[in-house]
Amino acid sequence: MPLFHVEYTYTADKAAVRDEHRPAHREFLGALHETGELQFVGPFVDGTGAALMVTADDEPAARELLGCDPFALADAVAAVRVTEWKQVFGPF
């Protein structure tokens, strides 16, 4: 199944919204990881966003999957970039 690198962009004005929804966001991501749809995820240390790697049939399916993220539902993400990724080396 294709892999998609996803980059979330955060803005400072939505920090309180992210803080409020972070427990549900992490629960959602944990469930995706358990099903194998999420390979990895983590925030950028400077607070500007996060990187995710998801498996999906195509880009629209990857976007649809992440559209259910509590951060997305709460409008806590300023931008989402989805790019199909081809592994050369690594565990996937």
Side-chain angles (χ1 to χ4, degrees):
M1 182 163 308
L3 289 163
F4 293 88
H5 176 267
V6 179
E7 183 175 334
Y8 280 1
T9 300
Y10 300 153
T11 55
D13 64 315
K14 295 289 185 161
V17 175
R18 286 190 302 278
D19 289 346
E20 176 185 349
H21 294 278
R22 186 166 288 111
H25 165 73
R26 290 203 172 153
E27 183 177 328
F28 169 79
L29 294 175
L32 290 182
H33 187 262
E34 286 186 19
T35 66
E37 295 167 287
L38 177 67
Q39 301 303 310
F40 68 78
V41 63
F44 300 132
V45 296
D46 66 1
T48 61
L52 306 86
M53 185 68 70
V54 299
T55 57
D57 290 330
D58 52 29
E59 181 181 335
R63 288 183 179 278
E64 182 178 343
L65 178 70
L66 295 173
C68 297
D69 183 339
F71 273 13
L73 297 173
D75 195 31
V77 180
V80 178
R81 180 175 178 217
V82 179
T83 308
E84 189 170 359
W85 182 73
K86 180 180 177 182
Q87 177 179 309
V88 175
F89 296 106
F92 308 116

